[in-house]
Amino acid sequence: MINKFTMTAIAAGLAVGGLFSSAAQAEDLKIAFFAASSQNGFNQAIYAGIEEKAKELGGVTTEIYDGQFNAAHQYSQIEDVLASGKFDGFVLAANDTVGIAGAVEQVAAAGKPIVTTLFPIGPDLTTLKRQVDGLTSTVASPPADGAKEQAKTVVEVCKDRNPCNVVIIVGQLIFPFDNLRYESFREVLDVHDNIKVVATGEGSYSPDVSLTAMTDILQANSDIHVVLSNADQHLVGVEIALEAAGYNVPDVFLSGGGAANIAINAIREGRWDATLAYFPKTMGAMALDIVVKELKGEDVPEFINMDEVGPMPPIIDKAILDANPDFVGEWEQ
């Protein structure tokens, strides 16, 4: 079914259509993908998009490196791989979007293209414009914008409840992008006197870690009405904790992030309520295509805002899914 969001996506897709056309086949190019964690489902989906695009282009081989959710490890990893001279270009999903800038500058100084995905690189995470000299391009969604949209849905849900008790689960507050998301949540929620953020937990993008965090929160707090999270993986653990504590899960408003298939299915079934849309395979394909085009001397964009080119609106809820019954997420969890 085509709705206004689909039409917008089609128009946006036409605008960036050159990124997906490949008149001339690439030849013997080697591209490395530095994942924040190669064990993370979202990063695996980015790499799946990279691999699919490489196969489509032909003559491109790829390899993934595990950042282990460790900023210092990823920084050294980039330096070591760059020094090896094995690769022509790089795609990055950064653990530390500020601290990694020095490694990006080293790549650029060596004359290698590097495209960042998911988040911009630099001190200002509110813009996708280039902040680090030599960064080829950014394929991402502005994290603060999405977090604010998520929080606005909570405001709407809570409008007739006082107090409305909210739990926030984020990845790791040590990460600049997670801290920004948390601050963006609070910027929207804290101006409403009826909304009480009773606890914040760190889920580390893991269902198991999130289960432990939510279990601890529920032992100290009762009558939870909303769980607001930046990651669908967190809600997997949250749901188990709520059930164990005697909650009827559909009675609690659950909002995650990532548009993973597990979230899409849970929303369709009425167990969860919303997810912030991300499209990692598309993101990876676009990033790989930009690296190859840069290596071939073709024009490339400074950035692509995934909020504007994705196939769905930023916030996906049951109404949106009912209007788009064939939609499936680009990753599992």
Side-chain angles (χ1 to χ4, degrees):
M1 178 176 181
I2 297 179
N3 59 23
K4 65 178 180 179
F5 299 111
T6 306
M7 291 301 296
T8 300
I10 291 171
L14 291 173
V16 297
L19 293 173
F20 291 97
S21 61
S22 306
Q25 193 177 68
E27 294 181 2
D28 301 324
L29 297 177
K30 296 179 175 62
I31 311 299
F33 172 51
F34 296 104
S37 167
S38 64
Q39 307 307 307
N40 174 263
F42 194 92
N43 280 244
Q44 290 170 355
I46 294 175
Y47 188 57
I50 289 171
E51 289 185 301
E52 288 180 9
K53 190 63 181 179
K55 183 177 180 180
E56 176 190 327
L57 292 173
V60 180
T61 58
T62 65
E63 190 169 335
I64 185 171
Y65 287 86
D66 183 7
Q68 301 177 9
F69 279 140
N70 183 310
H73 175 77
Q74 188 176 55
Y75 194 107
S76 298
Q77 192 175 63
I78 293 174
E79 289 184 317
D80 292 344
V81 172
L82 177 64
S84 75
K86 287 174 55 180
F87 295 95
D88 301 290
F90 306 92
V91 177
L92 171 65
N95 277 310
D96 181 351
T97 55
V98 178
I100 204 68
V104 172
E105 289 173 341
Q106 291 180 50
V107 171
K112 307 282 188 178
I114 181 166
V115 175
T116 184
T117 60
L118 189 55
F119 302 114
I121 299 298
D124 186 359
L125 287 171
T126 66
T127 180
L128 299 182
K129 292 183 178 180
R130 187 179 294 111
Q131 301 174 60
V132 177
D133 289 342
L135 178 68
T136 306
S137 186
T138 297
V139 183
S141 299
D145 292 356
K148 288 176 183 178
E149 289 302 312
Q150 283 184 277
K152 288 176 184 177
T153 66
V154 173
V155 171
E156 182 65 21
V157 167
C158 287
K159 66 180 180 181
D160 295 325
R161 187 186 293 273
N162 190 8
C164 187
N165 297 326
V166 177
V167 171
I168 295 175
I169 304 289
V170 294
Q172 295 183 27
L173 288 172
I174 193 173
F175 293 156
F177 46 84
D178 278 343
N179 192 58
L180 176 60
R181 285 163 162 166
Y182 179 72
E183 291 176 349
S184 299
F185 287 157
R186 297 303 298 259
E187 180 182 336
V188 174
L189 300 179
D190 287 353
V191 299
H192 298 274
D193 293 338
N194 66 310
I195 296 178
K196 309 298 181 185
V197 177
V198 297
T200 297
E202 294 181 306
S204 298
Y205 300 94
S206 163
D208 291 339
V209 176
S210 303
L211 170 58
T212 299
M214 191 66 189
T215 298
D216 292 343
I217 288 170
L218 290 172
Q219 289 174 349
N221 299 274
S222 59
D223 202 21
I224 301 302
H225 306 121
V226 173
V227 179
L228 173 60
S229 176
N230 65 303
D232 295 333
Q233 303 100 306
H234 297 157
L235 292 190
V236 176
V238 165
E239 182 176 29
I240 296 170
L242 286 169
E243 289 177 337
Y247 281 82
N248 179 36
V249 171
D251 291 342
V252 182
F253 184 85
L254 300 181
S255 177
N261 270 326
I262 194 167
I264 299 304
N265 293 335
I267 293 169
R268 283 197 166 110
E269 293 168 5
R271 295 173 12 243
W272 301 3
D273 297 276
T275 183
L276 180 64
Y278 280 93
F279 308 100
K281 288 182 70 175
T282 299
M283 190 183 302
M286 286 181 166
L288 188 281
D289 201 59
I290 290 172
V291 170
V292 171
K293 279 182 162 48
E294 178 74 8
L295 288 168
K296 292 164 63 178
E298 299 179 19
D299 291 338
V300 298
E302 180 182 355
F303 63 85
I304 295 175
N305 186 336
M306 290 300 299
D307 286 348
E308 297 175 354
V309 303
M312 297 283 274
I315 300 295
I316 298 175
D317 57 18
K318 194 171 187 307
I320 293 296
L321 293 176
D322 286 346
N324 296 271
D326 297 328
F327 175 76
V328 294
E330 290 193 353
W331 61 299
E332 293 305 317
Q333 71 166 21

